């Protein structure tokens, strides 16, 4: 069975249960940190897939990595228990990412990612957020990244749309144009 299908099924179950318990938004906020913890600790993923490890040991590991409190912690612990009982530990990260996608879709949240060569000033960040919010008529989640390799300018991603106004992209376009013209001459 396709990994994406299973991940979405488990994510839908988690979202439904989280909504029922009134902690869907809190779980959404925790998903990023949980996927970062899981991705940043490859030994955790390997250990969870180890068939010789007991169910309780796996649950204890996931529970200790869980930064949630109160009802959200209970929801996530039950979710981890479900994944382990069904031997679906390998779907943890993809199901949490699917949860974030489903939550964003239901709540009308657009993901905006901006990559710049230098950190954005607060004034510019606020201006971008106001313009994008007005244009999309949605809630905005802004992800910022600094990448000096782009040389200057910015790369702007909104959901599946990309605007690349970086110096590196412009230089590559000029380089391709020069190469194309030189090929015609020879």
């Amino acid at each position: 069975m396709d990994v994406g299908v299973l991940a979405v099924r488990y994510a839908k179950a988690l979202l439904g249960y989280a909504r029922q318990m009134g902690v869907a938004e809190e779980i959404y906020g925790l998903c990023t940190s949980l996927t970062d913890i899981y991705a940043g600790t490859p030994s955790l993923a390997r250990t969870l897939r180890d068939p010789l490890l007991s169910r309780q040991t796996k649950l204890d590991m996931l529970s200790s990595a869980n930064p949630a409190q109160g009802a959200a912690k209970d929801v996530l612990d039950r979710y981890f228990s479900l994944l382990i009982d069904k031997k679906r530990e390998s779907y943890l990260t993809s199901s949490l990412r699917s949860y974030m996608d489903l939550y964003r879709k239901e709540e009308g949240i657009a993901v905006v990612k901006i990559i710049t060569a230098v950190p954005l000033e607060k004034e510019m960040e606020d201006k971008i957020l106001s313009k994008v919010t007005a244009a999309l008529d949605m809630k905005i989640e802004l992800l910022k990244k600094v990448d000096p390799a782009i040389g200057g300018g910015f790369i702007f991603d909104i959901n599946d749309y990309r605007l690349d106004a970086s110096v590196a992209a412009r230089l590559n376009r000029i380089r391709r144009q020069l190469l194309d013209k030189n090929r015609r001459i020879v």
Side-chain angles (χ1 to χ4, degrees):
M1 185 171 259
D2 185 20
V3 172
V5 172
L6 282 174
V8 170
R9 284 183 187 168
Y10 280 93
K12 283 181 182 178
L14 176 60
L15 182 59
Y17 185 57
R19 285 213 187 279
Q20 184 180 11
M21 299 303 288
V23 293
E25 185 175 358
E26 190 175 346
I27 301 276
Y28 172 73
L30 292 166
C31 281
T32 303
S33 60
L34 285 170
T35 54
D36 288 346
I37 289 169
Y38 196 74
T41 317
S43 59
L44 177 62
R46 279 192 309 274
T47 305
L48 285 175
R49 287 191 301 264
D50 186 353
L52 300 177
L53 220 57
S54 72
R55 173 191 182 281
Q56 191 57 46
T57 304
K58 291 178 181 183
L59 278 175
D60 291 342
M61 286 174 48
L62 286 173
S63 185
S64 66
N66 182 359
Q69 301 291 322
K73 182 163 181 61
D74 294 338
V75 168
L76 283 173
D77 285 344
R78 288 191 69 181
Y79 182 67
F80 297 152
S81 178
L82 173 70
L83 287 175
I84 291 169
D85 289 345
K86 300 293 182 182
K87 302 203 182 321
R88 304 287 193 204
E89 302 93 339
S90 59
Y91 298 99
L92 177 63
T93 305
S94 55
S95 67
L96 291 176
R97 286 191 180 119
S98 294
Y99 177 91
M100 293 182 344
D101 290 341
L102 291 169
Y103 184 84
R104 285 178 187 134
K105 187 174 184 179
E106 285 186 9
E107 295 294 320
I109 299 171
V111 177
V112 174
K113 183 177 181 183
I114 187 158
I115 303 169
T116 57
V118 295
L120 274 178
E121 295 176 6
K122 183 68 175 154
E123 180 182 311
M124 182 57 75
E125 182 181 323
D126 292 341
K127 194 174 187 179
I128 290 169
L129 279 174
S130 67
K131 296 276 187 189
V132 173
T133 302
L136 295 179
D137 195 30
M138 297 175 84
K139 298 176 201 168
I140 302 299
E141 184 176 312
L142 183 65
L143 305 174
K144 301 176 289 186
K145 181 179 176 187
V146 175
D147 183 5
I150 67 171
F154 61 90
I155 300 172
F156 196 70
D157 292 324
I158 301 176
N159 293 333
D160 295 331
Y161 175 76
R162 174 171 267 205
L163 172 63
D164 191 345
S166 65
V167 171
R170 289 180 185 170
L171 289 173
N172 280 333
R173 273 185 243 129
I174 292 169
R175 183 178 148 270
R176 279 194 307 267
Q177 288 172 351
L178 289 172
L179 287 173
D180 286 344
K181 286 183 181 180
N182 284 334
R183 284 186 193 131
R184 287 185 212 144
I185 294 171
V186 175

